[in-house]
Amino acid sequence: MAPDLLLPTNHQIMRPDKDRFLSEENPFEAMMSRFDRAAELLDLEPGLYKVLRHPEKQITVSIPVMMDNGEVEVFQGIRVLYNTSRGPAKGGIRFDLNVTMDEVTALAAWMTWKCAVVNIPFGGAKGGVVCDPLKMSVGELERLTRRYTAGIIATLGPDSDVPAPDVNTNERVMAWIMDTYSMRVGHTVTAVVTGKPVEMGGSLGRREATGRGCMIVTRDALRHLGMEVKGATVAVQGFGNVGSIGAQLLQGEGCKIVAISDRTGGWHNPKGIDVNDAVEYVKQHKTLEGYGKGTAISNEELLELEVDVLLPAALENVITTKNAAKIRAKIICEGANGPTTAAADAILDEKGIFVIPDILANAGGVTVSYFEWVQDRGGYFWTEKTVNDRLEEIMKHSFAAVLQLAKQHKVNMRTAAYMLSISRVATVHRLRGIYA
Ligand code: GLU
């Protein structure tokens, strides 16, 4: 047995929003309670347990931006590197008014477990800027992105910390980050960020990767439960990159998408919604508002529909103790990060719902980010087929590994996924020891 790793017990995590500490909806608590359960089942040694409960680095920066009206606004930016034992920190950057240190820390921890579940050589990170990007001009967003990048530049780098898109950020934002970093170091470094435009070192298939990963594990879950893929009914919450592409690909496999939604509300049609048509509608109208091909329903109603598969692909905390008992789906595929609160897990278990946890279900995105980083570093680019084939292999293999562990320990898929990932991270810590 490796020697116990020691850390002072009073080592505290910075958490400015203490008032949310005890709330069911605090994502850090949600992450930690799952971590604790898996750590207990793994019989993790106390020192290592302490180490893995703490983020390695939390950075806060003030970002002054000259707004279009000539006034200066100051935004708060955060970057958290949760754990880098397995490789460079990896994780997206979100622009959202609800960004907090607790949330970003939880998301950075989830990235650590996510990369370990699919066994790619990265640690976990996450970043966020507190802002409302929908109310900002392109120029303001570019200045915000560049100054945020400058603020966290000391941690960035292809060997240390590699951002990617997340909520409200996209390929264009990644291009600005790559350019800012490259200008600072004096040469072009494509591998500093993933999810870039294909023309400048992005990977084919990256944009579709998270949705594709969701499709692959949903198909595997249906088969595992002895259900038909063809004709399986699916409700999708969120019609962004993950939800819309996940829905399109599931439809391509023969599933019937009976409900879709975005922040403006949802549409339900038991006969099936033509997802490609809805995607076209959103291209023209920006949202699903007024789509009209079905009955209008709320996001809450969508979650409670009687379907084979529910794909929550929007934000955190949509399945809570308030609605978990009313969920009638047989399978939940967590396309979003943290859509289910920890307290709701037990209710879903009791109802016998098969949950494919976020750290497995949405790992397709970071898996193709890894492929992008590999391609950038090698300067040799793969065909879309190669990307998709390799993604499929990793997702199928990871699903099978988690399922096997779940059966072996008689636990649900979430606990098994945490056990697999924590044991992988722990093994590297034991091998590396403590640098002193
Ligand atoms: N933001 C995505 C996630 O939560 C992708 C992260 C990445 O590719 O680094 O998994």
Side-chain angles (χ1 to χ4, degrees):
M1 188 62 126
D4 194 22
L5 302 173
L6 292 171
L7 250 201
T9 46
N10 60 355
H11 185 75
Q12 285 296 324
I13 305 161
M14 187 167 110
R15 44 174 27 154
D17 47 355
K18 273 207 174 66
D19 52 334
R20 291 177 60 216
F21 183 76
L22 291 174
S23 128
E24 177 189 353
E25 286 166 21
N26 182 312
F28 191 78
E29 297 306 311
M31 187 283 295
M32 241 350 137
S33 63
R34 274 86 170 240
F35 170 85
D36 280 353
R37 176 153 163 67
E40 200 186 317
L41 288 165
L42 288 168
D43 204 10
L44 201 65
E45 54 271 42
L48 198 39
Y49 172 75
K50 279 182 228 162
V51 172
L52 296 183
R53 281 181 67 96
H54 290 82
E56 277 177 23
K57 201 178 275 181
Q58 293 173 310
I59 304 165
T60 309
V61 289
S62 294
I63 312 165
V65 176
M66 178 65 77
M67 306 302 279
D68 292 347
N69 64 6
E71 282 177 25
V72 174
E73 282 295 337
V74 180
F75 297 88
Q76 190 199 25
I78 295 169
R79 184 77 180 161
V80 175
L81 275 57
Y82 195 85
N83 187 291
T84 59
S85 58
R86 288 168 44 87
K90 189 82 193 78
I93 290 170
R94 59 175 59 182
F95 289 171
D96 195 70
L97 279 178
N98 294 319
V99 163
T100 63
M101 181 58 87
D102 265 11
E103 184 202 37
V104 177
T105 304
L107 289 160
W110 274 323
M111 285 308 303
T112 307
W113 316 135
K114 195 186 295 186
C115 292
V117 168
V118 287
N119 213 0
I120 57 176
F122 284 138
K126 204 77 174 194
V129 178
V130 186
C131 67
D132 185 355
L134 302 177
K135 294 211 176 109
M136 293 171 73
S137 70
V138 174
E140 288 168 343
L141 281 174
E142 177 171 357
R143 293 192 287 282
L144 175 88
T145 304
R146 288 185 183 277
R147 186 60 190 258
Y148 169 68
T149 307
I152 60 166
I153 206 137
T155 80
L156 294 185
D159 290 314
S160 50
D161 182 16
V162 186
D166 199 74
V167 175
N168 293 331
T169 57
N170 55 20
E171 294 177 0
R172 184 163 60 180
V173 174
M174 299 307 115
W176 293 326
I177 295 174
M178 186 277 236
D179 183 69
T180 307
Y181 181 84
S182 298
M183 288 298 123
R184 285 289 286 266
V185 298
H187 58 100
T188 295
V189 185
T190 51
V192 68
V193 71
T194 61
K196 298 178 293 294
V198 171
E199 297 80 355
M200 52 177 281
S203 177
L204 293 169
R206 172 63 186 84
R207 196 181 305 156
E208 298 80 15
T210 312
R212 181 172 293 278
C214 289
M215 177 274 283
I216 295 165
V217 292
T218 299
R219 214 176 45 192
D220 281 1
L222 284 163
R223 287 178 185 149
H224 162 68
L225 296 175
M227 294 160 72
E228 284 288 327
V229 178
K230 283 212 174 4
T233 53
V234 183
V236 183
Q237 184 187 51
F239 213 62
N241 189 40
V242 184
S244 69
I245 292 168
Q248 275 178 312
L249 292 171
L250 283 166
Q251 183 174 272
E253 294 295 307
C255 297
K256 185 155 63 153
I257 314 301
V258 295
I260 54 174
S261 72
D262 66 10
R263 66 195 153 80
T264 66
W267 298 98
H268 177 215
N269 188 343
K271 292 202 189 94
I273 290 171
D274 179 352
V275 183
N276 297 334
D277 175 66
V279 166
E280 273 312 307
Y281 182 88
V282 171
K283 267 191 199 147
Q284 281 164 29
H285 300 84
K286 291 202 162 119
T287 66
L288 285 168
E289 196 167 10
Y291 180 59
K293 300 200 176 151
T295 317
I297 51 167
S298 66
N299 267 291
E300 293 71 33
E301 285 166 334
L302 179 141
L303 294 170
E304 294 167 17
L305 289 173
E306 188 167 357
V307 284
D308 294 321
V309 180
L310 175 63
L311 174 59
L315 285 169
E316 288 116 80
N317 297 327
V318 294
I319 302 173
T320 69
T321 48
K322 292 191 195 85
N323 65 355
K326 291 187 242 160
I327 303 240
R328 289 181 292 166
K330 297 189 180 73
I331 295 170
I332 298 176
C333 175
E334 296 186 333
N337 288 313
T340 310
T341 65
D345 281 349
I347 303 172
L348 300 180
D349 270 352
E350 226 165 81
K351 290 176 67 92
I353 298 174
F354 187 86
V355 179
I356 314 168
D358 47 6
I359 58 172
L360 169 65
N362 70 38
V366 75
T367 300
V368 176
S369 275
Y370 165 54
F371 296 162
E372 180 171 329
W373 179 83
V374 168
Q375 292 171 79
D376 287 341
R377 303 196 78 168
Y380 180 74
F381 288 85
W382 310 350
T383 62
E384 191 163 355
K385 182 173 182 322
T386 303
V387 170
N388 290 345
D389 287 352
R390 289 182 177 169
L391 171 64
E392 177 146 358
E393 194 184 322
I394 289 184
M395 293 306 295
K396 285 182 85 67
H397 184 83
S398 306
F399 179 90
V402 172
L403 184 61
Q404 200 260 330
L405 210 60
K407 283 187 192 152
Q408 187 186 332
H409 291 269
K410 299 192 172 46
V411 293
N412 63 22
M413 288 289 278
R414 190 183 316 279
T415 302
Y418 273 75
M419 287 174 75
L420 181 61
S421 56
I422 292 168
S423 67
R424 283 182 175 152
V425 176
T427 299
V428 175
H429 271 270
R430 288 190 200 104
L431 290 167
R432 289 182 62 159
I434 296 181
Y435 173 76

